Amino acid sequence: MEKKGCNNLHPQSMCPAFGGLRVLMRIDGVQVCLVADQGCAYGLTFVSHFYAARKSIVTPELMNVQISGGTMIDDVRRTIGEIALDPSVKFIPVVSTCVAETAGIAEELLPSKAGNAEVLLVRLPAFQLRTHPEAKDVTVATLLKRFARVSGERRKKSLVILGEIFPVDAMTIGSILQKIGVESVIPLPGTSLEDYADAGCVEACAVLHPFYERSAQFFEENGAKIVRGNPIGANGTGEWIRRVGEALDLDRELVAEVADEERRKVREAMSRFGALEGSVIVAGYEGNELPVVRLLLEAGLDVPYASTSIARMPLGEEDHKVLTALGTEIRYRKYLEEDMDAVMRYKPDLVIGTTSLDSFAKEQGIPAIYYTNNISARPLFFAAGAATVLGMISGLLARKEVFRSMKEYFTT
């Protein structure tokens, strides 16, 4: 497969089912039934333990003879029944991947309930979903369509926070929203099916990440207002609080006061690092890269290039316009080879990228860190997020000459 003259021989994102498993396996009382071939089962069992929830997945032993011989659906039904014998299991998501036969499994041939457990088919084929962030969206939307209790009445001053976020961020968001008068906050993806049920009656949904298009559409179609953006950086924080207040019709003076206070706190946190100088490339596959770039630009850094695995989406259009106006080249549905080319063209002082890109950058003597483990696994929002991210980047930029010296030492 070629794009812009590059031979693209490397995977550009993890298996989409990885993202779906992150959402599903953290639900209380869940036991996933994976309908896939042995290769999928091997790789996804690994990620289910290491990345998701340290839980095992259960799968029927689907060899070629079962898939081609027509006994697959019987094997799946039998496996569901065996899982349901455990009274602690309350939810059995049946996850199908991109093996042609398993992707086309007929939902009507599966039970909707087995024992004490709800049963739900979640389709996560890679030929339809390009990235694991978008698979999170598909999974959340599938859960909402099945479990959300939708009625004509909205619970006043209630809000869904939509986006997989760091636990400290969730606590901070909750405390600040309480200050402005929000009475009920439901974070999704959630750990309880009751979260998805209650989400059907909220007054508004704050979509923190742009790839949650299907889930946002569900809320919009059922009468909830959509709040765009996220509280990253001083400007983003103040604007996000104001938008939540407006969506829920909260006291304007109180909302403005809290928005100004939190904006000031972020600016104070950023000022601790002085005038940051340097050039940074951001290239991830989590789908939340552009708000991070916005924070770096606000802190005074130069970000000549940013890339993400997701497509350009309406929910992220505001960030796209701001960043391009400030001179950042943005690549959607990016390829590793495009990122490597950007490293050579811009010669940045720091790369925050995928493991493959980081290895390439270090070979050039450029400091590089893994985006997922160093950005997505840290607080990002409000003053605490700004301090954490900028503190780490400030320290790395201060040591950039060490990397160059190491390269010179080992190449002479």
Side-chain angles (χ1 to χ4, degrees):
M1 182 178 184
E2 292 193 346
K3 184 177 181 182
K4 297 184 180 177
C6 295
N7 292 317
N8 298 292
L9 304 177
H10 309 281
Q12 305 301 327
S13 177
M14 290 175 284
C15 168
F18 165 84
L21 284 175
R22 282 183 68 98
V23 171
L24 293 168
M25 297 197 74
R26 292 174 178 177
I27 297 174
D28 298 333
V30 74
Q31 178 58 69
V32 169
C33 175
L34 179 67
V35 186
D37 65 12
Q38 286 187 318
C40 297
Y42 175 81
L44 292 173
T45 295
F46 168 75
V47 299
S48 73
H49 279 276
F50 188 74
Y51 282 102
R54 296 176 185 160
K55 292 180 182 177
S56 294
I57 55 178
V58 174
T59 179
E61 186 179 3
L62 297 181
M63 306 292 285
N64 286 340
V65 63
Q66 283 92 359
I67 291 176
S68 61
T71 65
M72 180 185 69
I73 191 67
D74 296 326
D75 293 331
V76 174
R77 289 171 62 91
R78 186 185 68 252
T79 302
I80 292 170
E82 291 171 356
I83 294 171
L85 293 175
D86 183 348
S88 69
V89 175
K90 305 300 180 187
F91 177 39
I92 304 173
V94 179
V95 175
S96 66
T97 59
C98 53
V99 180
E101 292 81 1
T102 67
I105 190 170
E107 186 167 12
E108 61 270 18
L109 296 180
L110 299 177
S112 61
K113 198 172 178 71
N116 296 324
E118 301 287 339
V119 180
L120 177 65
L121 178 62
V122 182
R123 301 182 191 274
L124 300 174
F127 55 72
Q128 178 187 8
L129 303 171
R130 294 281 294 276
T131 67
H132 73 279
E134 290 159 273
K136 293 178 186 177
D137 176 37
V138 167
T139 304
V140 171
T142 302
L143 290 166
L144 286 168
K145 288 173 184 175
R146 170 68 177 274
F147 297 113
R149 290 191 290 263
V150 178
S151 68
E153 292 186 19
R154 306 278 112 200
R155 276 189 299 155
K156 294 295 183 183
K157 302 180 182 180
S158 62
L159 180 73
V160 159
I161 298 292
L162 183 57
E164 192 178 34
I165 57 178
F166 194 72
V168 172
D169 278 336
M171 294 171 61
T172 307
I173 285 175
S175 65
I176 289 173
L177 292 178
Q178 191 175 28
K179 280 185 186 179
I180 64 174
V182 180
E183 295 178 357
S184 173
V185 178
I186 301 173
L188 292 183
T191 59
S192 169
L193 287 182
E194 196 63 24
D195 293 334
Y196 291 91
D198 291 342
C201 296
V202 295
E203 191 174 0
C205 173
V207 187
L208 299 180
H209 299 145
F211 53 81
Y212 279 103
E213 284 194 311
R214 295 171 179 84
S215 303
Q217 183 180 3
F218 172 88
F219 284 106
E220 198 164 28
E221 288 176 350
N222 286 285
K225 298 172 185 173
I226 300 300
V227 178
R228 301 178 182 228
N230 41 58
I232 295 180
N235 296 328
T237 292
E239 182 62 18
W240 186 79
I241 293 172
R242 187 195 65 75
R243 288 176 181 177
V244 170
E246 186 177 279
L248 299 181
D249 196 24
L250 303 176
D251 182 284
R252 291 188 180 183
E253 288 187 12
L254 177 60
V255 170
E257 180 183 328
V258 173
D260 288 342
E261 178 187 359
E262 295 304 321
R263 186 186 293 112
R264 185 171 60 253
K265 286 180 181 177
V266 177
R267 286 190 177 132
E268 288 172 357
M270 295 169 72
S271 69
R272 293 179 212 155
F273 306 101
L276 287 177
E277 294 182 359
S279 173
V280 182
I281 277 179
V282 177
Y285 47 45
E286 294 295 316
N288 62 350
E289 290 79 14
L290 299 193
V292 174
V293 174
R294 176 160 43 82
L295 172 64
L296 303 187
L297 291 169
E298 197 171 340
L301 292 164
D302 177 34
V303 186
Y305 175 91
S307 70
T308 180
S309 63
I310 65 172
R312 183 174 174 179
M313 298 178 177
L315 287 169
E317 193 61 19
E318 188 173 23
D319 276 337
H320 177 90
K321 289 178 180 177
V322 169
L323 301 191
T324 52
L326 293 173
T328 300
E329 176 189 351
I330 301 173
R331 293 289 174 91
Y332 298 95
R333 294 276 192 238
K334 57 79 165 289
Y335 284 89
L336 172 62
E337 291 77 7
E338 293 175 314
D339 292 346
M340 293 166 64
D341 176 66
V343 169
M344 298 308 294
R345 283 189 290 120
Y346 291 112
K347 303 289 185 185
D349 299 307
L350 173 66
V351 169
I352 307 174
T354 59
T355 50
S356 299
L357 184 64
D358 291 349
S359 298
F360 175 76
K362 288 173 182 176
E363 290 172 0
Q364 319 307 313
I366 298 171
I369 58 172
Y370 183 30
Y371 183 94
T372 299
N373 287 4
N374 288 281
I375 299 296
S376 290
R378 295 174 186 266
L380 282 175
F381 301 147
F382 301 106
T388 301
V389 172
L390 296 178
M392 175 185 63
I393 290 174
S394 176
L396 289 166
L397 289 172
R399 297 192 295 274
K400 63 185 178 183
E401 293 304 325
V402 174
F403 280 78
R404 294 193 176 111
S405 298
M406 288 173 60
K407 180 176 184 293
E408 290 172 5
Y409 176 82
F410 285 109
T411 54
T412 54

